[in-house]
Amino acid sequence: MLVWIGSPRKIGSHLLLLDRDGVLNVDSPDYIKSWGEFVFYPDALEALRAFRLMGVSVVISSNQSGLHRGIIRWSDFWYLHEQMVRTIREAGGDLLAAFYCPHRPDEACECRKPSPSLLLTASQLYGVPPESTVFIGDRITDIQAAVAAGSKPVLLERTPLGGVQWSDFGIPAPPKRVKSLREVESLFIGASSMV
Ligand SMILES: [Zn+2]
């Protein structure tokens, strides 16, 4: 597991865990290999600013198997990360930490989602019970990871996933679905009403 910690202390009482590709930025089947390929969704930067103003701490939890596949260069990966953090902060938002899995599926590591490991590590580091966290992702494996961690799952559908038989994926109840990260802000209004 790759760990970047921007601050060891969280702000506010809420911990929001976010997938990266497809949530903060436009995903690609060819992987996001460099900062030049990283395109923020505008609503992501706006939402991150709103989260900071609301006292919601944000942590990234992302699979990046392109690293061990040899598709993403390590130097490019960390440069992208630093530029992403810089851009978020310039837009008035913040990231508290980021946890990445660099492994390929065949390495059978413990951190690759749908394992809950990336989420649980964030929960432990910041002393927030998993059930008091929210995890937002765009894939079924994200929802599986959230359910396994005990985090509240939210499916971000920038393009509709369509009908999913959630029980076929070991997910007992359909997750909340949103179409924009801006919709997530309302989940935190009214203090801990959501979690
Ligand atoms: Zn891993």
Side-chain angles (χ1 to χ4, degrees):
M1 186 185 305
L2 307 175
V3 176
W4 173 85
I5 296 175
S7 169
R9 276 181 300 183
K10 66 182 174 63
I11 54 168
S13 55
H14 298 291
L15 188 60
L16 173 61
L17 310 173
L18 289 183
D19 180 31
R20 195 192 78 183
D21 301 331
V23 172
L24 289 188
N25 58 286
V26 181
D27 202 358
S28 163
D30 298 325
Y31 300 87
I32 305 301
K33 301 180 286 298
S34 65
W35 176 237
E37 296 178 351
F38 190 99
V39 178
F40 271 107
Y41 284 110
D43 70 296
L45 286 173
E46 294 165 7
L48 286 165
R49 180 173 187 277
F51 292 142
R52 189 183 64 77
L53 295 173
M54 295 167 72
V56 176
S57 294
V58 179
V59 173
I60 298 281
S61 305
S62 171
N63 288 349
Q64 293 294 327
S65 67
L67 287 163
H68 275 210
R69 293 178 201 268
I71 294 169
I72 303 172
R73 290 170 45 180
W74 286 89
S75 56
D76 288 338
F77 173 81
W78 285 115
Y79 180 75
L80 180 162
H81 170 83
E82 295 295 341
Q83 294 301 310
M84 175 184 74
V85 172
R86 179 185 61 78
T87 305
I88 289 170
R89 288 177 173 162
E90 284 177 1
D94 201 9
L95 284 184
L96 216 52
F99 300 95
Y100 298 107
C101 166
H103 305 106
R104 300 183 308 271
D106 65 281
E107 292 178 279
C109 70
E110 292 184 353
C111 48
R112 181 176 167 83
K113 294 177 289 183
S115 158
S117 182
L118 297 173
L119 286 61
L120 291 175
T121 302
S123 171
Q124 286 165 6
L125 175 64
Y126 291 107
V128 178
E131 58 271 24
S132 297
T133 66
V134 175
F135 179 65
I136 303 173
D138 65 331
R139 297 187 180 202
I140 291 170
T141 48
D142 290 319
I143 304 304
Q144 289 174 311
V147 168
S151 179
K152 184 166 182 59
V154 176
L155 179 70
L156 176 59
E157 291 184 294
R158 296 195 179 277
T159 53
L161 262 190
V164 177
Q165 288 294 333
W166 294 100
S167 57
D168 290 352
F169 299 94
I171 297 164
K176 180 176 181 60
R177 299 162 102 131
V178 297
K179 291 185 171 58
S180 160
L181 272 182
R182 301 301 310 259
E183 287 179 61
V184 180
E185 295 164 26
S186 64
L187 304 182
F188 293 98
I189 292 172
S192 53
S193 57
M194 178 191 182
V195 292

